[in-house]
Amino acid sequence: MSVWDDLVGQEPAVAVLRKAVGGAAAVLRGETGAAVAGMTHAWLVTGPPGSGRSNAGRAFAAALQCANEGCGECNECRTALTGAHPDVSLIRTELLSIRVSEVRELVRRAAMSPTQGRWQVMVVEDADRLTEQAADALLKSIEEPAPRTVWVLCAPTVEDVVPTIRSRCRLLVLRTPPVAAIAEMLSAKMGVDADLAWFAARAAQGHIGRARALARDEAVRERRNKVLEVPFALRDLGACLKAAQRLVEAAKEEAKASAEKVDEKERAALEQALGVGTKGARPREANAALKELEDQQKARAKRWERDVLDRSLVDLMALYRDVLVVQTGAGSELINAELRRNIEQLSQRTTAEQTVRRIEAIATSREAIEANVAPLVALEAMTVSLFEGRSDGFTIPRRLAR
C-alpha cells in the first residue's frame, strides 16, 4: 500500500511525482544539483474530470511529509490524505468560485514555517474557480514562496488558470484512465462483479468517482438509463419540451437530495458553535452567520445541479458518439455496448452529418449552462435540435445493467 494507489492508470504522472519527492528529500538533507532535480515549489496538475487531480495533489502532499516518501501507512501519510496534517492545507469549494478571503488565509498560512520540520504544502483543488482577485492574491506567494513551501494547484486544463499563475508552475498532465485499469480497480478494491465493473468503467468515460457510483448504486444506473432514453422519446416538439423539463427536474431532485444530507449537519454545527438554543440571549451575530451559511448552501446546490446536468449531457454525447462510430465504421469500442441494437437502428435512420450536428448541439448546451444561461432554456434548445420528427418506435431496455 502507498499513497499513489488511488491514482488509477496514471503511472507516468506518478513517476514524475516520485522523482520530485526524492528531490525534496535531498533538499532536506542539504544536497544540491542533480540530487534535487525534478522538485519545484509550484505545480499545476491538470487532467479531465475524474482523472484524479485532487488525489494526485493529496498523494504528493502526503509523500512530501512522509519519511519513507509515501508509504501510505504512517501517521503523516494518513493525516495528509484526510486533510488533518498541520502542514497540509487543502482548499476546495462546492460553490461557483473561490473567494479572495479564502486565498488570503491560505497565503498567510503558506508564509509560516512547517510545524513538523518538513514541508508546508498548499493544495488548491479547484484552481479553475479562483476569482480574478483571488488569483492576484495568490500570485505573489507563488512568485516568492517561503522556504519549504510547496503549492499544488489543480484544474481541468492549463487554460483554466490565469497566465500569470500557470507560467510560474511546473505542469503535470494526467491522462484519462484506461477502461481496463478502472475495471480492475473496481473488482480488486470494491469486489464488484467483472461484468458490472466493465460496464461501470466504460460508462464512466474515465471518471473514477462516477465509475464507483455506477458500480455500487443501482439508483445511479437507473438515473443514467433515464437520460439515455431522451433521444428515443423526441417524437414531436411537445416531447422535446417535456424531455428538457424532466432533465432539469431530475437534476434538481438529485442535487437537493445530496444537499439535504450536509445542509442540516452544517446548520446544526454552526448553531452549536454560536450557542443558539442554549439559555440566555441569542448571540447578536447569529442571524448574520446563519444567513451567510444559507446563501452558501444555495450557491452549492446550484453548483451541484449544474454538475448533475453536465454529467447527463456527457452521457448523451457518448450515445451519439456511439452512433457516429457505427455510421462511419470507425471500429472503436462502443461506450454503450448494451444499447448496440438501438444504436445501430438509429444510425440507419440518420446520417453522420446529422449526428455531428446533434453532438454540437449538446456541447453548445453545456457551454450555455456553464455561462449561466437558464438550464431549462438551454436544454429546450438542445432537445429541439436533437429532434428529427420521426416516429420509429425505438425503445431502450428498462435496465442497462444490474
Side-chain angles (χ1 to χ4, degrees), residues 69-148:
E69 302 184 5
C71 68
E73 299 178 355
C74 66
N75 182 65
E76 286 74 15
C77 284
R78 292 196 302 270
T79 55
L81 291 173
T82 59
H85 195 287
D87 293 333
V88 175
S89 298
L90 305 174
I91 181 169
R92 62 177 305 179
T93 184
E94 304 287 356
L95 307 181
L96 301 179
S97 62
I98 298 177
R99 297 172 296 180
V100 65
S101 58
E102 297 175 89
V103 172
R104 285 173 177 160
E105 172 60 21
L106 199 64
V107 168
R108 184 190 66 80
R109 283 182 293 190
M112 298 179 180
S113 299
T115 60
Q116 295 187 358
R118 296 189 71 82
W119 298 91
Q120 186 77 259
V121 187
M122 326 303 292
V123 181
V124 182
E125 298 186 5
D126 302 289
D128 53 310
R129 297 187 187 177
L130 288 168
T131 65
E132 186 176 345
Q133 295 82 1
D136 289 341
L138 178 62
L139 179 59
K140 185 172 179 60
S141 183
I142 290 182
E143 284 182 323
E144 303 174 7
R148 294 190 182 181

Side-chain angles (χ1 to χ4, degrees), residues 141-210:
S141 183
I142 290 182
E143 284 182 323
E144 303 174 7
R148 294 190 182 181
T149 293
V150 178
W151 287 92
V152 184
L153 311 182
C154 306
T157 70
V158 67
E159 289 78 15
D160 290 319
V161 180
V162 297
T164 51
I165 297 289
R166 69 192 191 217
S167 65
R168 290 162 174 81
C169 299
R170 179 177 178 183
L171 178 62
L172 180 69
V173 179
L174 302 185
R175 63 181 180 177
T176 299
V179 171
I182 297 177
E184 182 180 356
M185 179 272 295
L186 294 175
S187 296
K189 292 190 175 183
M190 296 176 56
V192 176
D193 173 77
D195 290 341
L196 179 55
W198 273 96
F199 160 77
R202 278 189 288 101
Q205 302 178 64
H207 195 300
I208 296 174
R210 176 72 167 158

Side-chain angles (χ1 to χ4, degrees), residues 9 17 26 59-60 75 169 259 262 276 286 293 311 314 326 328 331 333 391:
L17 293 176
F60 187 38
N75 182 65
C169 299
V262 294
V276 176
L293 176 62
R311 188 173 65 230
V314 169
V326 174
T328 59
E333 181 181 4
S391 179

Side-chain angles (χ1 to χ4, degrees), residues 244 361 364-366 368-369 373-383:
T364 298
S365 181
R366 294 182 67 193
I369 293 173
V373 173
L376 182 59
V377 173
L379 291 178
E380 285 177 344
M382 180 197 74
T383 53

Side-chain angles (χ1 to χ4, degrees), residues 226-245:
K226 292 293 186 182
V227 171
L228 296 181
E229 290 175 0
V230 168
F232 301 88
L234 303 180
R235 311 295 185 186
D236 51 39
L237 185 58
C240 293
L241 302 182
K242 289 180 181 178
Q245 181 67 43

